[in-house]
């Protein structure tokens, strides 16, 4: 059931009203069904950029959209933003059909592009004012100074954008996407080419936006970034969604763990009782067990070692991360075709 928000602000166009006059917010921030996109390439050949993409983004979360270069991520985003015309399927942004209600649908989404497309002779303040005008935000409802402060550019508000550092320009792009107060914000590779300090700062800002009610869609090549920020992730490869799940569940798809043990005494060979496990003697006192958590428990391994009269001085485990899942899924998909 949709939730209700009785607050009154300019976001009312992004949700309907019920009989009691309360704003009804959609359950889904983005709903795409059967999205296709076919390009006509040089020489007349057709390029199938997206193939029947079904994707749902729940309101209020941080959603990761991953995939190799050319997978179709940017094409999908540009369709939602009204920058690319789809070849088939339907899509809604904040419950608004992008075909039947294009103006309102575009007002419900803000896109931070990967490219630093800024006018070199505009100041940040001028740029945000112009952007707000494009979206029809009345002068008395504009939040230019507030937004510049939020992205840490208040002291550069009057400077030419050509004088800004790369990190500042990246933040200015985020500011531009926020001028019309969209409930859905898409960040296309927001931390590409920025230093670690700025990346951490942008992560904190994304979390703040999300905590304040903005649904965030993040595309990134930094898999640790997606694993750190996103509560749900979809992986696109060759124009198709090959996986979509909660981040933790997606990582757990590779149900492989390694248990590294350091013994208190040297071993010349593995005891016979260890042969039932996938074990390897990597040093006189070092053992590695590779196992599936659904089939083997650590206590079984430790009990077998104890029964063999072996004592453990130290142990550690290694689990798959999102990078392992990503590579496994994209490689298997490529191999299947």
């Amino acid at each position: 059931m949709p939730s209700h928000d009785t607050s009154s602000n300019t976001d009312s166009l992004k949700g309907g009203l019920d009989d009691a006059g309360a704003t009804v917010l959609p359950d889904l921030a983005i709903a795409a069904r059967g999205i296709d996109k076919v390009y006509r390439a040089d020489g007349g050949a057709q390029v199938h950029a997206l193939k029947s993409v079904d994707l749902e983004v729940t309101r209020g979360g941080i959603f990761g959209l991953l995939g190799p270069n050319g997978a179709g991520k940017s094409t999908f985003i540009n369709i939602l933003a009204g920058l690319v015309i789809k070849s088939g399927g339907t899509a809604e942004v904040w419950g608004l059909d992008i075909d039947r209600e294009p103006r309102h649908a575009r007002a419900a989404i803000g896109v931070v592009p990967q490219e630093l497309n800024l006018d070199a002779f505009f100041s940040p303040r001028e740029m945000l004012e112009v952007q707000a005008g494009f979206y029809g935000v009345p002068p008395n409802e504009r939040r230019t100074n507030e937004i510049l402060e939020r992205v840490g550019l208040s002291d550069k508000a009057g400077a030419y954008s050509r004088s800004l550092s790369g990190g500042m320009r990246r933040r200015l792009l985020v500011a531009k996407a926020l001028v019309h107060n969209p409930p859905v914000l898409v960040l296309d590779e927001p931390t590409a080419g920025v230093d670690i300090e700025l990346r951490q700062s942008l992560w904190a800002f994304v979390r703040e936006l999300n905590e304040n009610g903005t649904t965030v869609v993040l595309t990134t090549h930094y898999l640790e970034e997606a694993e750190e920020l996103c509560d749900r992730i979809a992986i696109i490869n060759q124009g198709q969604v090959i996986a979509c799940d909660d981040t933790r569940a997606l990582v757990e798809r590779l149900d492989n763990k390694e248990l590294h043990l350091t013994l208190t005494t040297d071993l010349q060979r593995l005891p016979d009782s260890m042969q039932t496990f996938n074990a390897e003697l990597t040093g006189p006192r070092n053992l590695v067990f590779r196992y599936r958590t659904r089939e083997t428990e650590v206590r079984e391994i430790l009990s077998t070692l104890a029964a063999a009269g072996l004592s453990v001085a130290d142990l550690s485990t290694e689990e798959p991360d999102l990078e392992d899942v990503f590579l496994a899924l994209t490689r298997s998909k490529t191999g299947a075709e």
Side-chain angles (χ1 to χ4, degrees):
M1 291 292 291
S3 64
H4 294 63
D5 185 354
T6 56
S7 60
S8 60
N9 52 37
T10 54
D11 288 345
S12 59
L13 64 87
K14 299 145 191 156
L17 298 177
D18 64 9
D19 294 338
T23 302
V24 180
L25 301 179
D27 289 330
L28 297 177
I30 294 172
R33 300 173 182 88
I35 295 293
D36 272 287
K37 179 59 186 177
V38 179
Y39 287 104
R40 184 73 64 179
D42 294 339
Q46 288 188 339
V47 176
H48 210 161
L50 294 175
K51 307 169 186 176
S52 298
V53 170
D54 293 329
L55 205 57
E56 293 183 346
V57 177
T58 303
R59 171 175 52 84
I62 301 180
F63 189 93
L65 190 59
L66 308 184
N69 289 330
K73 304 186 301 296
S74 293
T75 299
F76 180 73
I77 289 169
N78 288 333
I79 287 173
L80 296 177
L83 301 175
V84 170
I85 299 174
K86 57 184 169 55
S87 303
T90 62
E92 294 180 354
V93 178
W94 209 245
L96 302 162
D97 189 283
I98 65 171
D99 294 323
R100 294 196 300 268
E101 302 175 273
R103 183 179 176 185
H104 287 162
R106 291 175 191 177
I109 190 170
V111 178
V112 181
Q114 182 177 351
E115 299 80 16
L116 294 172
N117 55 348
L118 298 171
D119 191 311
F121 297 98
F122 274 47
S123 69
R125 179 178 287 115
E126 291 169 336
M127 209 168 295
L128 265 59
E129 286 291 311
V130 170
Q131 188 78 357
F134 287 155
Y135 280 95
V137 181
N140 64 334
E141 294 182 11
R142 296 178 187 175
R143 303 174 300 120
T144 299
N145 291 334
E146 175 192 337
I147 293 172
L148 287 173
E149 183 178 355
R150 290 185 71 188
V151 299
L153 292 176
S154 292
D155 59 337
K156 299 291 184 179
Y160 285 129
S161 63
R162 67 173 182 265
S163 70
L164 302 180
S165 67
M168 291 178 180
R169 294 180 189 184
R170 183 75 55 190
R171 281 182 275 166
L172 182 53
L173 286 177
V174 176
K176 283 182 63 178
L178 294 174
V179 296
H180 58 296
N181 200 24
V184 181
L185 182 66
V186 178
L187 302 170
D188 192 0
E189 300 288 344
T191 59
V194 304
D195 59 39
I196 295 176
E197 183 178 358
L198 178 57
R199 184 181 301 173
Q200 295 287 341
S201 174
L202 285 170
W203 284 10
F205 185 56
V206 168
R207 288 192 181 97
E208 179 190 342
L209 286 171
N210 181 247
E211 289 169 0
N212 289 328
T214 302
T215 301
V216 178
V217 177
L218 172 72
T219 78
T220 178
H221 279 93
Y222 298 110
L223 297 178
E224 76 277 9
E225 183 168 73
E227 194 166 6
E228 174 75 20
L229 293 175
C230 301
D231 41 46
R232 192 168 176 83
I233 289 174
I235 297 176
I236 292 183
N237 193 38
Q238 298 180 1
Q240 296 177 292
V241 176
I242 59 174
C244 184
D245 210 336
D246 293 341
T247 304
R248 186 68 258 166
L250 201 58
V251 172
E252 288 175 354
R253 287 196 184 190
L254 285 184
D255 184 25
N256 299 307
K257 293 185 71 172
E258 289 186 1
L259 175 64
H260 295 255
L261 298 176
T262 301
L263 304 177
T264 57
T265 55
D266 291 353
L267 281 181
Q268 298 301 318
R269 67 178 187 85
L270 285 172
D272 293 338
S273 57
M274 293 287 104
Q275 303 303 325
T276 57
F277 300 102
N278 184 9
E280 180 184 357
L281 188 62
T282 58
R285 298 190 179 190
N286 301 110
L287 281 171
V288 177
F289 293 85
R290 298 176 179 87
Y291 64 100
R292 293 182 177 274
T293 56
R294 288 173 293 182
E295 300 172 355
T296 306
E297 294 185 5
V298 172
R299 63 181 180 180
E300 296 178 42
I301 298 173
L302 297 179
S303 295
T304 304
L305 282 170
L310 300 174
S311 299
V312 177
D314 192 19
L315 64 82
S316 63
T317 59
E318 290 185 8
E319 301 182 54
D321 58 18
L322 188 56
E323 183 171 4
D324 298 317
V325 178
F326 179 82
L327 291 173
L329 288 171
T330 54
R331 285 171 179 168
S332 64
K333 179 63 179 177
T334 303
E337 295 184 351

